[in-house]
Amino acid sequence: TRDSSGTNHVDTTIQIDIFTTGNSRENDALEIAYDIDDLLGGTYRLPKIMAEPIDNYVDINVYRYVLRYSYKISRNNTIYRG
């Protein structure tokens, strides 16, 4: 947001891409995603706007899972959630 005094808030998105391989690649990716969500969603209470697997057409042996969190941050470093 912006007013006569300048920029007040900035919309920010954090995207985390998880890549795993092996026989338990899906479970491994979900365990990593759970740990990340525990920190960003739980501790910092950032709203998660996306959590889903993405097809990896280049190498089907690599599993990809994407998390996105969105928030606003003020010029005073105040985080606004939701």
Side-chain angles (χ1 to χ4, degrees), residues 16 33 37 41 48 53:
I16 299 165
D37 191 51
K48 181 171 41 181

Side-chain angles (χ1 to χ4, degrees), residues 19-32:
F19 295 92
T20 55
T21 60
N23 292 335
S24 62
R25 61 185 176 256
E26 290 181 33
N27 288 335
D28 293 344
L30 292 176
E31 285 182 27
I32 294 167

Side-chain angles (χ1 to χ4, degrees), residues 6-7 20 31-35 43 49 54 57 61 72:
T7 302
T20 55
E31 285 182 27
I32 294 167
Y34 177 79
D35 290 341
T43 302
I49 59 172
I54 302 294
Y57 296 110
N61 295 314
K72 293 180 187 219

Side-chain angles (χ1 to χ4, degrees), residues 38-54:
D38 191 41
L39 177 67
L40 295 180
T43 302
Y44 293 109
R45 298 186 335 264
L46 298 180
K48 181 171 41 181
I49 59 172
M50 179 183 173
E52 62 186 55
I54 302 294

